[in-house]
Amino acid sequence: MIFSMSNFNGSKSSGSEIEQLVQLLSRLPGLGPRSARRAVLHLIKRKDGLMIPLSGALQRAVEAVVECTTCGNIDTISPCSICCDPRRMQNSMLIIVEDVGDLWALERATIGPVRYHVLGGVLSPLDGIGPQDLTIDALIRRADEFGEIVIALNATVEGQTTAYFITDRLNGMDIKITRLAHGIPVGGELDFLDEGTLSQALKARTSL
Ligand code: ZN
């Protein structure tokens, strides 16, 4: 058992093509070298059913993927399928998100026929990220198409600083600006929540 585990973790236990695959996969979020090695072994064992189809799907994705020039979403057409959806064109709500992953998360929540704007990050002076590094100017250019803009940024210092900055830039335009509620998660128990979350939830209370 001890021998097989050390062999499993060893860096030179397989050919260079396999090692290269392990190294590439280990760069994926959530996968370290050890789980990448496990994933590669899983792929090799299922060459026909998984590895070959995955290889084809990756190649097709490489050729097809584009960034939407309107909202910043990732799709195979630009403007993307969300921006081209007639039901969404009739709805005047725009949701601002930091990253494409946030857009996809909101889409999974099936919140309705809304449109999005991907900022590509948040303001962070310490990391040298200023307004010119985000798509804020593009947002301001398309903002007057919408009746309501929901700022759906993370509840971090950078996220909230960015939200204030955007609100300031939109100031004077005839648009309702809202943000996501901060507070108790669905299924959350009060006794297990931190004071900051509880305090935010109380401030953001709503009528029943
Ligand atoms: Zn789009």
Side-chain angles (χ1 to χ4, degrees), residues 42-145:
H42 189 82
L43 284 168
I44 291 169
K45 284 181 179 169
R46 289 156 188 82
K47 191 173 172 185
D48 290 333
L50 189 58
M51 197 175 190
I52 293 172
L54 177 67
S55 163
L58 275 173
Q59 188 56 44
R60 286 190 296 279
V62 164
E63 287 158 13
V65 160
V66 287
E67 188 178 297
C68 174
T69 52
T70 305
C71 74
N73 186 22
I74 302 287
D75 203 341
T76 52
I77 51 170
S78 177
C80 71
S81 47
I82 287 179
C83 289
C84 292
D85 182 346
R87 288 178 317 133
R88 297 175 195 257
M89 306 275 241
Q90 288 162 13
N91 190 340
S92 69
M93 183 186 285
L94 177 78
I95 302 186
I96 299 175
V97 291
E98 176 179 336
D99 192 75
V100 174
D102 300 329
L103 187 164
W104 291 358
L106 286 166
E107 276 295 284
R108 285 200 301 276
T110 56
I111 45 178
V114 299
R115 280 173 284 170
Y116 300 90
H117 189 88
V118 179
L119 283 180
V122 284
L123 296 175
S124 177
L126 284 178
D127 299 317
I129 301 173
Q132 71 284 353
D133 300 310
L134 309 178
T135 60
I136 293 176
D137 286 342
L139 166 70
I140 303 302
R141 282 197 294 277
R142 64 187 296 227
D144 60 6
E145 289 175 45

